[in-house]
Amino acid sequence: MAASALDSLRQPEYTGENRCMACTAVNGVLAVAVAGVVGAGSTAAGASPSVAAGAGGVFLALAAASIWLRGYLVPGTPELTKRYMPEWLLAWFGKAPDDASGLDGGTDATDPGDVTVDPERVLLDVGAVEPCEDVDDLCLSEAFADAWQAEMDAIDDISVDDALATFGFEDDDYELSRYDDAVLLNRGPHRIGQWPSEAALVADVAGARALADRHSDWATMDPVAKGRVLNGLRVFLETCPDGSAAEFREDTVESCCSSYDVVTVECTGSGERLFEQRVDDIPPA
């Protein structure tokens, strides 16, 4: 009976693996502060120190139970956190929005340093994209689209060696891992790259092979620069590795602690996401 009563109070969407530690920390601090106010108020009302301490302790115990069962004490905390808590503070708790797609910087192997590259310029120079015929935008050139699709069709099973060859890494202490739909390239404890799906990684590997035939300096290009070019190239993909159409969409990404709008490119057949970028990160036209 007691167990079922507790279960009725639980909110799985905000506890366990879904717990927002930023919410928990903020509510914990508030609980301690309010418990102190309750104790001080009891003392001011004439209660003995032991009674005042007991009142504060009872409140703190009830508050802790609420945070444990529900994930928060103050009503509306998750929505308030999504709306008002800054990303630098969320990052302390490992909850900052993560838009990584392709190769990351931050380790000796992929230190971005002063790497600058204009993906659009690179793709134009090698004829991978060209002005569209019917709209004021860029589109894949027919020749490159065919070459890219042929490279994707030739990939049966993606491997860590494919990823390493794509960026010119030669060490053997890398590994690919999966987390939900995402594919991660790790080197020891460091994350070197992240793709929103296996289809996105296949597109990058195939895209790199197609670009290598057209870009004379591709083999010696900095790995981070390659990653940025490939990430930009993926936006233009019209046919996914599974043969279904790639569709441009707008979506809202939500977690326990944050909510933000993104533009995406997704495969209509499998639902795999090829590309994702926050709307507020897109430079104005």
Side-chain angles (χ1 to χ4, degrees), residues 179-190:
Y179 182 77
D180 292 335
D181 294 331
V183 180
L184 310 178
L185 176 63
N186 302 311
R187 187 184 191 190
H190 301 293

Side-chain angles (χ1 to χ4, degrees), residues 16-257:
E17 293 182 353
N18 297 322
R19 180 178 294 278
C20 173
M21 295 310 297
C23 299
T24 299
V26 170
N27 279 257
V29 170
L30 290 174
V32 172
V34 174
V37 171
V38 170
S42 299
T43 300
S48 66
S50 61
V51 172
V58 168
F59 175 83
L60 188 59
L62 292 173
S66 175
I67 295 171
W68 176 60
L69 290 169
R70 299 173 58 79
Y72 56 86
L73 173 64
V74 179
T77 294
E79 292 305 317
L80 292 172
T81 300
K82 291 177 182 180
R83 182 170 299 181
Y84 297 113
M85 186 166 285
E87 291 181 11
W88 63 264
L89 184 54
L90 290 174
W92 284 8
F93 300 93
K95 292 296 183 180
D98 187 355
D99 303 328
S101 183
L103 201 68
D104 301 336
T107 72
D108 291 341
T110 58
D111 184 357
D114 296 326
V115 173
T116 58
V117 63
D118 182 347
E120 187 175 291
R121 184 73 264 160
V122 171
L123 297 174
L124 278 167
D125 287 345
V126 299
V129 299
E130 60 188 13
C132 302
E133 293 183 358
D134 50 354
V135 294
D136 184 18
D137 203 350
L138 294 175
C139 296
L140 280 180
S141 67
E142 184 176 353
F144 187 83
D146 290 343
W148 193 6
Q149 186 63 51
E151 293 290 357
M152 285 190 287
D153 292 342
I155 298 175
D156 292 326
D157 185 25
I158 203 74
S159 70
V160 66
D161 290 337
D162 294 324
L164 298 185
T166 295
F167 300 104
F169 298 145
E170 297 179 354
D171 297 338
D172 58 2
D173 54 347
Y174 293 85
E175 64 176 2
L176 286 178
S177 61
R178 271 71 175 174
Y179 182 77
D180 292 335
D181 294 331
V183 180
L184 310 178
L185 176 63
N186 302 311
R187 187 184 191 190
H190 301 293
R191 185 187 65 186
I192 305 302
Q194 174 177 324
W195 291 264
S197 67
E198 185 163 309
L201 177 54
V202 169
D204 275 8
V205 171
R209 292 174 181 175
L211 285 171
D213 293 336
R214 291 164 173 77
H215 194 303
S216 59
D217 296 325
W218 181 260
T220 57
M221 184 182 290
D222 182 271
V224 172
K226 288 181 179 180
R228 292 172 182 170
V229 171
L230 292 170
N231 192 47
L233 176 62
R234 228 181 301 134
V235 179
F236 297 98
L237 192 63
E238 298 173 353
T239 304
C240 292
D242 64 1
S244 66
E247 185 175 83
F248 181 89
R249 297 180 180 177
E250 294 188 16
D251 198 1
T252 299
V253 174
E254 295 199 27
S255 68
C256 64
C257 299

